[in-house]
Amino acid sequence: MTDMNAALILTDKAAAKVRKLRDGEENQDLKLRVYITGGGCAGFSYGFTFDEEEKEGDSHFSNGDVTMLVDPMSFQYLVGSEVDYVEGLNGSQFVVRNPNASSTCGCGSSFSI
């Protein structure tokens, strides 16, 4: 699918973490897949995994040599979002800053629309 850079943003910090993890796995074909699942304390949850292949209907977004994939169902909930990587007192993790979320849970990993 077309790379629509304005639709989702993969920050430099998140791309650097993906590069580091990809290098650790010694697999340059790994792409970060961001998805939405039902559940979580606020209704929907964010998920992150690595995938080697783009699936039919996926949207892809790049930051340098790093690709982020989003499936069509998840894309509608993630339009306009920024995927970042943060390190703090609560640990290190990928996070989504989603302007479509009307509320989020305290841990930041689930949201409602």
Side-chain angles (χ1 to χ4, degrees):
M1 186 170 224
T2 305
D3 187 347
M4 302 181 315
N5 289 321
L8 267 88
I9 296 169
L10 180 65
T11 67
D12 291 343
K13 198 168 183 183
K17 184 61 177 181
V18 170
R19 272 186 212 95
K20 185 175 180 180
L21 293 169
R22 193 175 63 187
D23 291 347
E25 293 292 320
E26 298 180 359
N27 185 347
Q28 296 304 306
D29 294 330
L30 291 176
K31 298 161 183 54
L32 179 65
R33 180 172 292 281
V34 181
Y35 60 93
I36 303 296
T37 60
C41 50
F44 294 101
S45 294
Y46 299 112
F48 303 92
T49 190
F50 283 104
D51 205 335
E52 288 186 273
E53 296 183 26
E54 188 172 330
K55 294 180 175 57
E56 186 174 338
D58 279 349
S59 295
H60 63 274
F61 308 91
S62 299
N63 180 323
D65 64 338
V66 174
T67 300
M68 175 173 62
L69 302 172
V70 181
D71 65 87
M73 192 283 297
S74 299
F75 180 79
Q76 63 187 328
Y77 297 107
L78 291 169
V79 171
S81 295
E82 178 181 88
V83 175
D84 197 8
Y85 186 77
V86 296
E87 298 177 25
L89 296 175
N90 296 332
S92 303
Q93 64 185 352
F94 288 101
V95 296
V96 177
R97 292 186 186 96
N98 187 342
N100 305 304
S102 61
S103 65
T104 59
C105 69
C107 64
S109 63
S110 68
F111 69 102
S112 63
I113 300 281

